[in-house]
């Protein structure tokens, strides 16, 4: 318990913010769900039914439901203020009783549900599109793309008091980072490799350090890892294996930091 409290305390007190592009609320960044037919086939929205869109983003899934059944009701949530601003614009398209949008991280959803009276007795469908939305991917300052600094706060302006991803990597202890990668990134057997690599190279990290560079650093460790040495591969197969393994480690590390920083894990 004490260790978990110490780990959680790492989130707070960011010393700086990154300048970057900001997505305009009026920008044409509508999201078209890839599995629209499948989602509608599962939810089968009918008039009077209640749904939760827990990752509103740019509103693609909410529109999908309400365009299919305008008399359904959707409660939308997102940690990003810009998403909720888009939601308010979207709400003008539908009946005012059909759509409500709220700022919330995953771990705060139960609190909002209690306040709004949402429970299993009235809820007909619950949708989560895990990951990040176009709002985050298009804003390189947040670090969800290879070119951006590793910030990883879903809403840097509102969550300015939280540490950025790079600040955590620069200050976290070996034991804390190991625990973070295991608990939040499911990096069990590879957690030691990533932790050792980061701690041995973090003297190079600064506020402009990007995921693309972290990939190259991890790639070097993967090439000389015990696991790699036990494999007898052609040059082409070796390159393919090393690239896939490094990508997996990087994505898992970024995901772990994102979930941890934004307190998205529901205990």
């Amino acid at each position: 318990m004490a260790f978990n409290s110490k780990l959680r305390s790492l989130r707070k007190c960011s010393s700086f913010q990154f300048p970057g592009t900001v997505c305009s609320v009026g920008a044409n960044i509508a999201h078209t769900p890839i599995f629209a037919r499948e989602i509608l086939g599962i939810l089968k929205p009918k008039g009077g039914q209640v749904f939760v869109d827990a990752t509103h983003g740019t509103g693609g899934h909410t529109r999908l439901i309400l365009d299919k059944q305008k008399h359904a009701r959707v409660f939308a949530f997102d940690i990003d203020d810009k998403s909720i601003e888009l939601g308010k614009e979207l709400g003008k398209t539908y009946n005012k009783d059909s759509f409500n949008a709220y700022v919330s991280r995953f771990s705060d959803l139960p609190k909002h549900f209690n306040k709004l009276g949402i429970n299993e007795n009235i809820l007909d469908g619950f949708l989560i599109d895990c990951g990040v939305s176009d709002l985050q991917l298009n804003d390189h300052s947040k670090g969800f793309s290879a070119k951006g600094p590793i910030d990883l706060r879903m809403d840097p302006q509102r969550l300015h008091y939280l540490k950025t991803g790079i600040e955590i990597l620069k200050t976290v202890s070996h034991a804390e980072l190991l625990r973070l990668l295991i608990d939040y990134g499911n990096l069990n057997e590879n957690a030691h490799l990533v932790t050792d690599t980061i701690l041995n190279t973090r003297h190079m990290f600064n506020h402009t350090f990007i995921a693309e560079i972290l990939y190259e650093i991890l790639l070097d460790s993967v090439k000389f890892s015990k696991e790699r040495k036990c494999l007898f591969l052609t040059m082409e197969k070796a390159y393919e294996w090393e690239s896939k393994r490094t990508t997996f480690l990087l994505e898992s590390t970024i995901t772990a930091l994102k979930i941890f920083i934004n307190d998205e894990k529901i205990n």
Side-chain angles (χ1 to χ4, degrees), residues 7 11 179-186 255-256 259-260 265:
L7 194 60
R11 292 192 186 101
R179 181 71 172 271
L180 191 155
L181 293 174
I182 292 173
D183 288 356
Y184 293 84
N186 293 321
T255 298
I259 294 172
F260 173 72
K265 189 173 183 179

Side-chain angles (χ1 to χ4, degrees), residues 92-158:
K92 297 176 182 178
T93 308
Y94 302 99
N95 186 307
K96 64 179 181 179
D97 295 325
S98 296
F99 177 70
N100 299 95
Y102 305 90
V103 175
S104 177
R105 66 187 84 197
F106 289 152
S107 55
D108 288 336
L109 286 177
K111 178 178 67 177
H112 287 285
F113 289 174
N114 288 335
K115 184 177 180 180
L116 295 168
I118 301 174
N119 56 56
E120 65 273 13
N121 296 322
I122 71 163
L123 196 59
D124 297 289
F126 190 100
L127 192 149
I128 296 180
D129 186 2
C130 294
V132 293
S133 73
D134 290 343
L135 287 174
Q136 283 80 46
L137 293 174
N138 291 336
D139 186 349
H140 295 314
S141 70
K142 294 181 180 179
F144 294 109
S145 66
K147 300 296 184 182
I150 304 175
D151 187 312
L152 304 180
R153 294 170 297 178
M154 297 294 281
D155 189 346
Q157 289 185 323
R158 187 168 57 85

Side-chain angles (χ1 to χ4, degrees), residues 18-261:
F18 296 116
T21 58
V22 177
C23 294
S24 168
V25 172
N28 183 20
I29 50 176
H31 166 241
T32 301
I34 297 175
F35 298 107
R37 182 186 302 175
E38 290 81 358
I39 291 170
L40 289 177
I42 293 171
L43 295 180
K44 297 181 175 63
K46 298 180 178 63
Q49 288 190 322
V50 177
F51 299 93
V52 165
D53 180 359
T55 47
H56 180 256
T58 56
H61 292 111
T62 291
R63 280 195 299 271
L64 185 68
I65 294 169
L66 294 179
D67 285 346
K68 181 68 175 179
Q69 178 48 257
K70 65 180 181 180
H71 295 298
R73 186 174 187 184
V74 176
F75 290 93
F77 300 89
D78 202 285
I79 195 172
D80 195 329
D81 280 340
K82 295 183 183 66
S83 169
I84 303 307
E85 289 179 42
L86 286 171
K88 290 177 181 177
E89 292 298 313
L90 178 63
K92 297 176 182 178
T93 308
Y94 302 99
N95 186 307
K96 64 179 181 179
D97 295 325
S98 296
F99 177 70
N100 299 95
Y102 305 90
V103 175
S104 177
R105 66 187 84 197
F106 289 152
S107 55
D108 288 336
L109 286 177
K111 178 178 67 177
H112 287 285
F113 289 174
N114 288 335
K115 184 177 180 180
L116 295 168
I118 301 174
N119 56 56
E120 65 273 13
N121 296 322
I122 71 163
L123 196 59
D124 297 289
F126 190 100
L127 192 149
I128 296 180
D129 186 2
C130 294
V132 293
S133 73
D134 290 343
L135 287 174
Q136 283 80 46
L137 293 174
N138 291 336
D139 186 349
H140 295 314
S141 70
K142 294 181 180 179
F144 294 109
S145 66
K147 300 296 184 182
I150 304 175
D151 187 312
L152 304 180
R153 294 170 297 178
M154 297 294 281
D155 189 346
Q157 289 185 323
R158 187 168 57 85
L159 303 175
H160 60 87
Y161 56 88
L162 297 180
K163 280 188 175 181
T164 65
I166 198 63
E167 287 178 300
I168 289 175
L169 293 181
K170 282 178 66 68
T171 59
V172 68
S173 71
H174 188 282
E176 289 166 342
L177 182 55
L178 193 64
R179 181 71 172 271
L180 191 155
L181 293 174
I182 292 173
D183 288 356
Y184 293 84
N186 293 321
L187 271 179
N188 297 313
E189 58 193 46
N190 297 118
H192 283 278
L193 173 66
V194 175
T195 299
D196 291 342
T197 300
I198 288 174
L199 265 65
N200 289 334
T201 59
R202 66 181 179 185
H203 61 277
M204 299 186 297
F205 296 4
N206 57 42
H207 68 279
T208 60
F209 190 82
I210 62 176
E212 197 171 46
I213 299 176
L214 183 56
Y215 173 89
E216 297 298 331
I217 292 172
L218 288 171
L219 179 60
D220 284 340
S221 292
V222 168
K223 287 179 179 179
F224 297 100
S225 64
K226 291 181 180 179
E227 185 178 11
R228 171 65 186 89
K229 290 177 180 178
C230 292
L231 299 175
F232 298 94
L233 303 170
T234 64
M235 185 177 296
E236 182 179 350
K237 289 293 184 181
Y239 176 80
E240 181 181 351
W241 184 89
E242 291 163 1
S243 298
K244 287 183 177 179
R245 178 50 55 95
T246 304
T247 299
F248 166 73
L249 296 180
L250 177 63
E251 289 178 348
S252 298
T253 300
I254 294 297
T255 298
L257 285 167
K258 180 184 84 72
I259 294 172
F260 173 72
I261 290 169

